[in-house]
Amino acid sequence: MKRILGWGNLATEYPVPEPARQYLENVVGKPRNLQNISVNQLIDKVPAASNLPSHPLISTEPEDRLRHARGQSLNDWIDMCDGLVDTFPDGVAYPKSDAEVQALIQFAETHQLNLIPYGGGSSVAGHLTPPGDGQHTISVDLTRMNQLMNLNEENLEATFGSGVSGPQLESYLEKHGYIFGHFPQSWEYSTLGGWVVTRSVGQQSYHYGRIEPLFVTGHMETPSGSIDPLRVPKSAAGPDLRHIILGSEARLGILTNATVRIRKLPEEELFYSAFFPNFEIGTEAVRKIAQAELPLSMVRLSDPLETETTFQLSGEEKLVNIAKKGLSLFGQNEERCMLIYGLTGNQAQNRLADRQLAHIVRSHQGMMVKYYLGEAWMKKRFLTPYLRNTLWDLGYALDTLETALPWDKLNHARETILDVIRKGLVKENEIVLVFSHISHVYTNGASLYITYLYRRAQDPHQTLDWWHKLKTPASHKIAELGGTITHQHGIGIDLKPFLPTEKGALGTHMIKNIIKDVDPNQVMNRGKLVDLD
Ligand SMILES: Cc1cc2nc3c(=O)[nH]c(=O)nc-3n(C[C@H](O)[C@H](O)[C@H](O)COP(=O)(O)OP(=O)(O)OC[C@H]3O[C@@H](n4cnc5c(N)ncnc54)[C@H](O)[C@@H]3O)c2cc1C
């Protein structure tokens, strides 16, 4: 069963290994003694849904409403796990068909409700928070629209209900010998509809692609009718309607199904690692790898602190010590950076790509490590987010930021952004552990994924205040340096102030007008992405 407090399912745990606990105490400080709130205490906080017009599809059960009250941003965590949550959906609907979705939109129009579609609830940008503007909010949970509706083997396309989760989608395809290959780290719970409207990126996007090129078409129910882009391989007929659906963050309507490109299951998928003596050299090697356009599936370069923290959190103390000794014999010391890379395809292709990559690695003072690390990363990739639960329980808050920049700006930007976060709580006498990795590479640049961790305060309002003191200046710095404010998580509420900087005045005006045109009475996810005048 899915957790209400924290990430993932209740049965899965990722304990923080004892040496890692010690490491965090040494680096960030001893955690405070904190009391965590219980689910029952939270359920008691859910107010009666007074004056909500009744509808056969809408449940007003307090637990349903609590489960749909927030997503997974750190603000959401503090709201839920520290009990600050004060806005809840007034009801939750579980439609099973386009007609039921249409009926809910009509109901919202009639009664001036706000609808928030809910996929997997894995948003990390505040997409799911009810606005608390005095009008009723209904969460529209799409997870019952999760069927494989059509498999077209001739076109290598499949159509699914938009509420299909990552594991459900891949298991449908695997039975027929196909793969979609979209693996965000939230794969276990996020859904196809959520991926499309937030423009998500899977870990192996280098081979399988971001969601945009995979999204062929879909059916979106809106307050003004439906949007159904033509199912064709490519078109030059003016602006692409798919790109209006992609990234729309539920401001236009509800995507009920999506047709996506699929592939035959690959002969093999391999994951290996390599090390570089420092991040600058590693980045240069990764740029060369990206520009050589090798047929890899992923390239992920951790900075020295992320490399060390990964070692510490692995729980493999003996192995790590042996690895460190071995690496230092080859000049890979404290500044060493770990590269994890993936190969997807047939044996011959993979061998060739691997040889070409090894050549670039070695010509950049790098060392190939084919044993254990790549495979271990792959096996734990959906387990790692569970660490956030145990870190939280220990007394540490963890959050991430992401951007993408051209290669010529990347290293300077990374150092500057990390510095802002590192110094963000100096006045509060708190230490922030901050590290980063390059996660998705392109010939002209790469995305940067930044993780930061700090001690929770005794007062949750202070934990929240500290989060603002870290996230806001770092986001301003990203915008000032010319990076995108989000490479993959979307805007939601958290990044809304930064959209106009990225899109410009006219661009923002155009986005607002599309929303006003399609949803004139603002029944769709009010207050997210952009404020309408
Ligand atoms: C541990 C963790 C790891 C993550 N890793 C990644 C990653 O590797 N890559 C990445 O890109 N993101 C990642 N994310 C962010 C998140 O998983 C993505 O933004 C994902 O696309 C959200 O999908 P969802 O189904 O959970 O959507 P939700 O969180 O339920 O909703 C997100 C937004 O989409 C809207 N929405 C959902 N379904 C529909 C629909 N059918 N029609 C219209 N609107 C809809 C919602 O109203 C909301 O505005 C991660 C999040 C977590 C918690």
Side-chain angles (χ1 to χ4, degrees), residues 44 76 90 124 143 173 226 248 250 264 292 333 372 433 502 509:
D44 288 344
D76 295 339
D90 297 278
V124 282
T143 51
L173 291 180
S226 64
S248 56
K264 294 224 162 81
N333 294 307
Y372 185 72
L433 175 67
E502 184 149 340
H509 179 77

Side-chain angles (χ1 to χ4, degrees), residues 476 491 493-501 529:
H476 277 293
I491 295 288
I493 299 181
D494 297 352
L495 297 175
K496 196 167 57 171
F498 301 94
L499 190 77
T501 316
L529 184 65

Side-chain angles (χ1 to χ4, degrees), residues 192-479:
L192 178 56
W195 299 338
V196 171
V197 305
T198 63
R199 305 180 81 127
S200 70
V201 184
Q203 288 167 332
Q204 287 165 266
S205 70
Y206 199 62
H207 174 75
Y208 293 105
R210 294 172 61 102
I211 198 70
E212 291 97 319
L214 298 174
F215 176 56
V216 178
T217 184
H219 177 79
M220 183 171 259
E221 293 288 349
T222 85
S224 303
S226 64
I227 310 178
D228 296 271
L230 202 62
R231 188 172 63 83
V232 285
K234 286 277 180 277
S235 158
D240 191 338
L241 284 182
R242 292 174 321 126
H243 282 279
I244 291 174
I245 293 174
L246 285 156
S248 56
E249 302 196 358
R251 288 306 308 260
L252 300 178
I254 302 184
L255 188 71
T256 59
N257 66 58
T259 301
V260 293
R261 290 171 51 205
I262 57 171
R263 291 177 163 87
K264 294 224 162 81
L265 276 169
E267 201 174 296
E268 57 178 22
E269 295 222 80
L270 304 169
F271 297 87
Y272 295 127
S273 65
F275 283 82
F276 295 97
N278 63 47
F279 197 69
E280 287 64 36
I281 297 176
T283 306
E284 189 53 16
V286 164
R287 179 175 74 81
K288 297 268 174 59
I289 290 167
Q291 293 177 346
E293 300 191 53
L294 302 182
L296 306 171
S297 67
M298 62 167 284
V299 174
R300 175 191 164 118
L301 179 72
S302 296
D303 70 13
L305 201 47
E306 183 170 289
T307 302
E308 179 59 22
T309 308
T310 308
F311 279 168
Q312 295 288 344
L313 288 170
S314 70
E316 305 275 7
E317 208 181 352
K318 272 192 194 149
L319 206 65
V320 164
N321 286 337
I322 295 170
K324 281 186 181 173
K325 275 191 195 138
L327 286 166
S328 64
L329 289 177
F330 290 89
Q332 314 270 350
N333 294 307
E334 274 70 34
E335 289 301 302
R336 69 190 146 236
C337 290
M338 180 168 68
L339 171 77
I340 301 282
Y341 67 95
L343 299 155
T344 294
N346 66 42
Q347 265 188 19
Q349 275 171 348
N350 286 348
R351 275 204 198 116
L352 182 62
D354 203 22
R355 268 208 304 276
Q356 289 172 314
L357 179 133
H359 176 71
I360 298 175
V361 167
R362 292 196 183 104
S363 62
H364 288 81
Q365 304 169 50
M367 184 183 164
M368 299 290 286
V369 178
K370 302 295 275 293
Y371 170 70
Y372 185 72
L373 291 172
E375 196 65 15
W377 176 86
M378 192 276 283
K379 284 192 181 136
K380 282 191 177 170
R381 63 177 164 163
F382 304 126
L383 190 61
T384 320
Y386 285 85
L387 259 177
R388 200 182 185 193
N389 297 336
T390 34
L391 287 170
W392 176 269
D393 290 344
L394 266 183
Y396 299 105
L398 183 141
D399 193 27
T400 60
L401 273 178
E402 32 91 45
T403 180
L405 291 132
W407 288 115
D408 59 358
K409 289 184 172 178
L410 194 78
N411 271 338
H412 168 68
R414 177 186 153 271
E415 278 161 22
T416 315
I417 302 160
L418 260 59
D419 207 44
V420 167
I421 300 175
R422 197 179 297 116
K423 294 180 180 152
L425 298 180
V426 167
K427 279 195 192 136
E428 284 72 17
N429 260 331
E430 290 295 324
I431 295 165
V432 185
L433 175 67
V434 53
F435 46 79
S436 65
H437 63 259
I438 288 175
S439 54
H440 300 275
V441 297
Y442 307 94
T443 52
N444 57 346
S447 72
L448 200 58
Y449 195 88
I450 299 167
T451 303
Y452 56 96
L453 178 144
Y454 62 95
R455 290 194 303 170
R456 289 167 58 199
Q458 209 75 50
D459 175 358
H461 293 95
Q462 192 160 44
T463 311
L464 189 60
D465 178 52
W466 289 351
W467 175 67
H468 285 297
K469 287 197 164 117
L470 295 170
K471 179 119 180 171
T472 309
S475 302
H476 277 293
K477 192 51 84 182
I478 288 175

